[in-house]
Amino acid sequence: MFESFGFETLTPVTASLYLALALGVAFGVLAEITRFCLRRALVSADRSERRSAGGVWLMALAVALVGTQASVAAGLISFEGHRLLASELPVLAIVLGGLAFGAGMVLTRGCASRLAVLSGSGNLRAAFVLVLFAIAAHATLKGVFATLSSGLASVTLPLGALTSLAALPGGALPYTAGLAVVFLGLALRSGAGARNLVLAALIGLIVPAAWVGTGYVLFDEFDPILAESLSLTAPATATLFWGIASTAITPGFGVGLVGGILAGAAASALLFGRFQWQSFDSPAQTGRYALGALLMGVGGVLAGGCTLGAGLSGIPTLGFAAFLALAAIILGAKLAARLLSESGSEYGAQPATQALQPAE
């Protein structure tokens, strides 16, 4: 469809940069206001905060699921051949990667997307983790951990044509409707508040907007680009590589998304008076955050995505790989929080907050 716009100087890659920048700004603003964070929904010490954070996350997921599958039904996008619907499921890599990512986000008190938002809000701890996360992810994709990654990915479970819920009897509609009703019901009973639930729904809309934008609007058979949506693992590595070699590569969707999230979060924090510089309190804290960043970077690549890529954007594909990755991330976070709690660590399950609230 891209060629029908008649652009003479703008390529699909450059157009995807601008699209991602706009979507990233929207996500950054909305996530900063709602404190969008799966980790907080899983291991916060305050039960009401867990329910509220979970409600926000599930509302976004419900809208993302319905919007994405509606786009598939309308013929705007297709996930045929997408990595989350591969016929060979790299089960070992996904499980180990998910567990590592979940543990890492507990150690750093936030998943990659939350840390990107906090970085834009003046949290230097989050910025430090985000950089290490990108380095570790890049090392797992193309560096010193690549051999480990490929070795684990070689252990697969053959799925054949049954790669998603849509391939089961009945097709996508009943599973989409059933999951959406469950997610929506839990969200409405969470006590999150009408404002946050509405804003969470807007976060969810960003997911199909990105899928349709990259997979349909910007599709050009002569200059194809990948269909992408909200994620942080691959975009973080793309941003890192572009920052190092910007004269040799053209920035695309990933660079725009990361830049947009940082800009949107900073604008929101400044506008509402929540911007505040924060840093580490001790060397021990620095070490804990560094370990968490490495676990998230390696784990995000092995699992095929983070809480955004495998979760908020992945689950709407209905791919079994996404469900397995998100389940492993949740289990990893729960186990890590329990171990920290039993060890008497002060970092077990404190709420994920920022700025004028208790530091993350």
Side-chain angles (χ1 to χ4, degrees):
M1 183 178 179
F2 180 77
E3 68 276 4
S4 66
F5 290 128
F7 293 122
E8 296 182 355
T9 60
L10 192 64
T11 66
V13 172
T14 303
S16 74
L17 170 70
Y18 296 140
L19 171 66
L21 184 63
L23 296 177
V25 168
F27 178 83
V29 171
L30 295 168
E32 196 279 330
I33 294 172
T34 61
R35 298 169 63 210
F36 186 79
C37 180
L38 179 60
R39 187 213 71 95
R40 192 162 59 89
L42 296 174
V43 300
S44 174
D46 188 316
R47 184 173 181 272
S48 64
E49 185 176 23
R50 286 200 307 273
R51 290 189 61 192
S52 176
V56 168
W57 210 86
L58 288 173
M59 175 59 81
L61 182 58
V63 173
L65 173 61
V66 172
T68 299
Q69 285 303 312
S71 301
V72 173
L76 299 179
I77 54 174
S78 171
F79 293 111
E80 183 179 354
H82 193 277
R83 59 178 179 78
L84 290 175
L85 278 73
S87 60
E88 296 289 331
L89 182 69
V91 59
L92 185 59
I94 290 176
V95 170
L96 293 180
L99 291 172
F101 188 93
M105 74 179 189
V106 169
L107 290 173
T108 60
R109 295 188 191 167
C111 63
S113 60
R114 177 61 177 161
L115 294 168
V117 171
L118 290 173
S119 297
S121 307
N123 192 316
L124 298 178
R125 295 192 303 271
F128 169 79
V129 170
L130 198 61
V131 172
L132 281 187
F133 165 75
I135 293 173
H138 201 280
T140 308
L141 282 171
K142 300 179 180 180
V144 294
F145 299 141
T147 302
L148 170 66
S149 176
S150 60
L152 292 175
S154 67
V155 180
T156 61
L157 178 67
L159 298 179
L162 297 176
T163 60
S164 72
L165 291 176
L168 297 178
L173 179 58
Y175 302 104
T176 299
L179 288 172
V181 168
V182 171
F183 296 154
L184 183 59
L186 292 172
L188 293 176
R189 296 175 58 188
S190 67
R195 185 203 68 163
N196 280 346
L197 290 179
V198 170
L199 295 180
L202 295 178
I203 291 176
L205 286 175
I206 296 174
V207 172
W211 285 127
V212 172
T214 57
Y216 177 70
V217 177
L218 299 183
F219 175 75
D220 184 351
E221 60 182 3
F222 299 107
D223 189 9
I225 61 173
L226 290 176
E228 299 183 72
S229 189
L230 288 180
S231 66
L232 246 297
T233 304
T237 64
T239 304
L240 174 69
F241 191 57
W242 175 75
I244 295 172
S246 60
T247 59
I249 61 172
T250 302
F253 186 87
V255 175
L257 187 63
V258 173
I261 292 174
L262 292 173
S268 178
L270 287 168
L271 179 63
F272 294 106
R274 289 190 289 263
F275 188 94
Q276 180 179 327
W277 294 113
Q278 298 181 53
S279 190
F280 293 103
D281 298 325
S282 67
Q285 187 186 54
T286 307
R288 179 178 64 85
Y289 274 67
L291 175 60
L294 293 175
L295 287 173
M296 283 200 299
V298 175
V301 172
L302 294 178
C306 59
T307 54
L308 282 188
L312 189 63
S313 297
I315 295 298
T317 70
L318 300 181
F320 292 132
F323 284 94
L324 180 60
L326 184 60
I329 289 172
I330 292 173
L331 179 59
K334 290 284 190 180
L335 291 175
R338 174 171 293 186
L339 289 173
L340 287 171
S341 178
E342 291 176 352
S343 68
S345 170
E346 62 176 309
Y347 304 113
Q350 294 185 14
T353 55
Q354 59 95 7
L356 300 180
Q357 300 162 337
E360 281 187 290

